[in-house]
Amino acid sequence: MNHNEPPIIVGLDIGTTKIAAIAGRKNEHGKLEILGFGRANSNGVQHGQVLNIDQTIKAIQQALLNCYESNPELEINEVYVGIAGHHIKSLQTRGDIVRQDPETEIQRWEIDQLLNNQRKTFIPAGDQIIDVIPQDFHVDNIQNIKDPVGYNGVKVGANFHIITGDRNAIRNINRAVERSSLVTKDLVLQPLASASAVMSDIDMEAGVAILDIGGGTSDLAVFYEGILKHTAVIPFGGENITNDIRMGLGVLKSQAEAMKVQFGSALADEAKSNAFITIPGLKGMPAKEISVKNLAAIIQARMSEILDFVTYHIKQVGLDSRALNGGIILTGGGSQLKHLIQLTEYTTGLNARIGLPNEHLAPNHIEELKKPMYATCLGLILKGYSDYDHQYKEFAEKFKKVEVPRSLTVIAAEQPEVPLMNVRAEAGERKPKFWDKFKNNLIELFKEEEDQVIR
């Protein structure tokens, strides 16, 4: 054990299509080093909610097993768990406390008391408060204070964003985690976890919307002037698109998913009208040809519906394209759809980009970990470090030293240095390869104008 080592924090993303477990630790530069990574297909979760606890436990255990295989030195006991689903709701409240001695400086314990008071807010029966997030503080007549500690005043208060969820849904997640021999360190709303992984401080100041397109839901978080203004769970995701393809084109679910991933586009106008996908027939039946343009039209219809919800929620909090200078950041597995950025910009009127969790990730990690589908899991680790840095939760005093496994890093091939006099000669030898590539690109360019059948 080592006093100087930061803690190893594990994020557990229990999603509709996958369950991922990632163990990470911050290095001396403040970047996340991934010490273990495992994932498994998810079967017991629908629309972000755990419905079959036994199947979910098996998937969690498989993800943990894969994580241990990537690094046998790991010991995983506590996890930060993401939560989403139709049952998630949010509300705005305001709270104040009158101080006993207005001449003394405001202390951290007074702010903690203010937050704890909000946990007594009346909410509908059957719901449970997941998180209380202060938006901005005020001390007497001074408004819009980010941190009131150190101020003097008679009264201190804040506006709060309170996130609630169905008590039974929360209980099912905790049961699945506990029966997997783990302890839930904290439950974190998935869009907030994703936001912390893909968003910078500049994005928060500029105003930005984070859209995490998952398997069962699409989760939205809106930030303006450094404050969380709104959260919402949109009840559609990648699974809905797959089911639309399955029903609309009369194919199997596995075929629909494969077509979406390999040939799918979020813009029908960008799809070639003369391109087709050949699907093998079942039990001697003839093969079926699927138009790539029809496939794109089905995907566009569902994605447009999701983006219409996004526009509605942004307008609901009184924001528009002029307020959100940072535009929309798309993340999650569904963000990898071709032409989704163009559709998002056309539908919402906001600039859009794909949010990758690279900014907080240490360099040299394998490409798999940099995909947007792991933004939530990496964000859960960052949430744990926020708790550790601000002492919001108790952590052990000593932490085990664990090295980053070679399987999760890209090791540059060790090559002897090439003398400068030989570089030009080699460059000259490679010239024909360049022209071959140029010629092949020209051939491909002309091929695109011809009718093509994708088989």
Side-chain angles (χ1 to χ4, degrees):
M1 294 289 186
N2 192 328
H3 281 279
N4 298 322
E5 285 295 319
I8 296 173
I9 293 174
V10 182
L12 182 64
D13 179 12
I14 303 175
T16 302
T17 56
K18 75 171 190 320
I19 289 179
I22 301 179
R25 167 181 279 160
K26 280 191 176 181
N27 61 17
E28 64 272 18
H29 306 295
K31 300 294 185 181
L32 278 184
E33 291 184 336
I34 304 306
L35 304 174
F37 164 64
R39 61 163 288 174
N41 292 332
S42 178
N43 297 316
V45 182
Q46 289 183 20
H47 301 295
Q49 289 183 246
V50 174
L51 298 183
N52 188 314
I53 293 178
D54 288 338
Q55 287 185 352
T56 304
I57 291 168
K58 288 179 183 177
I60 292 172
Q61 289 174 340
Q62 184 60 52
L64 287 173
L65 181 64
N66 294 338
C67 192
Y68 286 131
E69 285 180 357
S70 73
N71 191 342
E73 295 182 17
L74 280 175
E75 296 175 4
I76 300 175
N77 299 309
E78 298 178 326
V79 289
Y80 279 80
V81 183
I83 185 169
H86 303 172
H87 61 98
I88 300 293
K89 296 188 283 289
S90 62
L91 66 147
Q92 305 293 124
T93 64
R94 183 182 175 99
D96 302 274
I97 56 172
V98 177
R99 306 182 63 231
Q100 294 179 352
D101 186 356
E103 299 302 320
T104 60
E105 294 179 356
I106 295 171
Q107 304 295 314
R108 177 61 58 190
W109 67 265
E110 295 177 272
I111 306 306
D112 293 340
Q113 180 187 335
L114 189 60
L115 264 69
N116 289 332
N117 290 346
Q118 295 308 303
R119 292 192 172 273
K120 301 171 186 174
T121 301
F122 173 78
I123 57 174
D127 283 357
Q128 180 177 328
I129 292 177
I130 297 170
D131 206 353
V132 176
I133 302 165
Q135 295 178 310
D136 57 338
F137 291 90
H138 50 268
V139 178
D140 294 341
N141 295 324
I142 306 172
Q143 302 292 324
N144 300 321
I145 301 170
K146 289 193 174 179
D147 188 356
V149 173
Y151 281 72
N152 317 19
V154 176
K155 186 168 70 172
V156 59
N159 295 313
F160 294 93
H161 186 81
I162 298 180
I163 298 165
T164 67
D166 180 76
R167 192 180 300 275
N168 289 328
I170 295 169
R171 188 182 295 122
N172 283 351
I173 290 179
N174 287 328
R175 278 180 182 166
V177 172
E178 287 168 9
R179 285 168 58 182
S180 301
S181 302
L182 298 170
V183 174
T184 302
K185 189 80 171 176
D186 199 7
L187 282 177
V188 183
L189 190 66
Q190 287 186 7
L192 298 184
S194 300
S196 64
V198 304
M199 188 176 63
S200 66
D201 292 339
I202 295 173
D203 292 322
M204 283 191 72
E205 290 296 329
V208 70
I210 310 289
L211 180 62
D212 183 348
I213 307 169
T217 61
S218 295
D219 307 321
L220 180 69
V222 182
F223 296 85
Y224 180 64
E225 293 184 343
I227 295 169
L228 174 66
K229 298 293 287 186
H230 187 65
T231 56
V233 176
I234 299 165
F236 304 114
E239 282 276 286
N240 298 93
I241 297 172
T242 301
N243 286 329
D244 290 347
I245 296 169
R246 179 179 65 86
M247 297 292 291
L249 300 178
V251 296
L252 299 175
K253 186 175 181 180
S254 58
Q255 294 171 334
E257 180 66 23
M259 284 194 293
K260 179 184 75 174
V261 172
Q262 293 180 47
F263 310 114
S265 168
L267 273 181
D269 289 345
E270 294 293 329
K272 294 182 175 65
S273 58
N274 50 19
F276 296 87
I277 308 160
T278 301
I279 301 294
L282 297 175
K283 295 185 178 179
M285 294 177 68
K288 180 182 290 189
E289 287 200 334
I290 305 293
S291 165
V292 171
K293 199 170 188 70
N294 288 346
L295 173 66
I298 292 171
I299 294 172
Q300 181 177 342
R302 181 63 78 175
M303 277 310 311
S304 295
E305 186 178 12
I306 292 171
L307 293 169
D308 285 340
F309 272 102
V310 172
T311 305
Y312 165 78
H313 282 289
I314 291 173
K315 288 181 177 177
Q316 195 178 38
V317 287
L319 300 174
D320 56 20
S321 57
R322 289 169 295 179
L324 297 180
N325 293 323
I328 293 182
I329 300 177
L330 303 166
T331 191
S335 67
Q336 298 175 98
L337 269 173
K338 196 185 296 182
H339 301 125
L340 180 57
I341 290 176
Q342 293 94 316
L343 179 64
T344 302
E345 293 181 339
Y346 173 76
T347 305
T348 65
L350 293 164
N351 293 325
R353 64 181 170 90
I354 303 298
L356 303 172
N358 298 350
E359 184 170 338
H360 303 282
L361 203 57
N364 300 327
H365 279 303
I366 57 173
E367 289 300 313
E368 180 71 15
L369 290 167
K370 300 176 183 178
K371 291 181 178 178
M373 67 176 69
Y374 300 114
T376 296
C377 214
L378 293 170
L380 291 169
I381 300 174
L382 292 171
K383 172 61 168 64
Y385 267 100
S386 175
D387 287 352
Y388 174 70
D389 293 338
H390 294 94
Q391 298 180 343
Y392 290 149
K393 291 189 179 294
E394 292 184 5
F395 289 82
E397 292 183 3
K398 298 179 182 180
F399 306 109
K400 182 181 177 182
K401 173 72 174 175
V402 177
E403 298 295 337
V404 178
R406 290 174 65 89
S407 62
L408 297 180
T409 56
V410 179
I411 307 297
E414 294 182 5
Q415 297 178 346
E417 289 187 8
V418 180
L420 188 60
M421 55 184 278
N422 292 337
V423 172
R424 290 179 182 172
E426 289 199 2
E429 289 173 10
R430 278 197 293 269
K431 202 172 283 185
K433 291 184 179 179
F434 168 79
W435 286 109
D436 287 344
K437 186 176 179 182
F438 181 71
K439 181 179 69 176
N440 291 338
N441 286 345
L442 279 177
I443 293 170
E444 289 298 321
L445 189 65
F446 284 107
K447 273 185 180 178
E448 286 183 5
E449 300 300 322
E450 301 172 0
D451 291 353
Q452 57 176 317
V453 177
I454 300 171
R455 297 186 182 275

